[in-house]
Amino acid sequence: MAKNTICLWYDKDAEEAARFYAATFPDSTVGKIHRAPSDNPSTKAGEVITVDFTVAGIPCIGLNGGPTFKHNEAFSFQIATDDQEETDRYWNAIVGNGGQESECGWCKDKWGVSWQITPRVLIEAMATGGEEAKRAFDAMMTMQKIDVATIEAARRSSHSH
């Protein structure tokens, strides 16, 4: 077992979510599925209570804890992408499976978990700092899904009068 594992609270769909993540992201798997040994406030005996899974190498546990707590943007997975094709693939998978688009490369899956689908070119531009970072940041602020070509153009462009 990993020293640190992220626990994500779902109403009742932890297994469905884990299987979606495993099918969508590389280095992602579904591990052990644990069933409730007896009735409890969120599950009946024999129903799935936790699911061990890995998302892009990060160990997680999905807990079917009932509807009490909801996901919000205070927690997100940030997935670094190499190009527009990979960016589109993850974005479209999440949004197309009952999720929703948000701003600046963020989207939510159908269970309410937030994802930042972040091209490496944007990460690199921000790390560069100065005017290049500002141009890339300003371009990003107009986007939902990140457009790699527009970020690359913003990195290259200098002041135009």
Side-chain angles (χ1 to χ4, degrees):
M1 181 178 176
K3 186 73 163 173
N4 186 12
T5 303
I6 295 169
C7 182
L8 295 164
W9 180 299
Y10 295 86
D11 180 356
K12 58 187 179 305
D13 297 326
E15 184 179 359
E16 182 189 350
R19 293 194 186 286
F20 171 74
Y21 305 148
T24 302
F25 299 103
D27 194 19
S28 302
T29 56
V30 178
K32 285 200 161 121
I33 295 171
H34 303 275
R35 297 184 180 276
S38 58
D39 288 0
N40 64 75
S42 62
T43 50
K44 302 278 181 234
E47 291 179 347
V48 173
I49 191 165
T50 63
V51 179
D52 297 341
F53 63 98
T54 301
V55 176
I58 303 294
C60 300
I61 296 172
L63 169 67
N64 283 331
T68 308
F69 298 114
K70 304 283 187 222
H71 295 285
N72 66 49
E73 289 78 358
F75 174 89
S76 62
F77 284 103
Q78 185 179 56
I79 303 291
T81 59
D82 292 329
D83 53 28
Q84 192 67 54
E85 185 277 329
E86 190 181 18
T87 302
D88 291 352
R89 185 162 21 109
Y90 299 148
W91 182 274
N92 295 340
I94 291 167
V95 172
N97 186 50
Q100 64 187 69
E101 298 184 281
S102 189
E103 304 300 318
C104 304
W106 292 59
C107 57
K108 267 188 199 174
D109 66 30
K110 71 188 269 186
W111 305 281
V113 177
S114 290
W115 297 82
Q116 297 181 63
I117 308 302
T118 310
R120 292 184 194 279
V121 66
L122 178 58
I123 298 165
E124 291 159 8
M126 299 307 295
T128 300
E131 283 298 313
E132 183 177 327
K134 182 184 184 319
R135 290 192 305 269
F137 184 82
D138 290 348
M140 174 199 72
M141 291 299 291
T142 68
M143 299 176 182
Q144 288 186 305
K145 180 178 70 181
I146 302 301
D147 183 282
V148 171
T150 302
I151 296 296
E152 288 171 340
R155 288 186 75 182
R156 285 191 304 268
S157 71
S158 56
H159 290 303
S160 51
H161 297 286

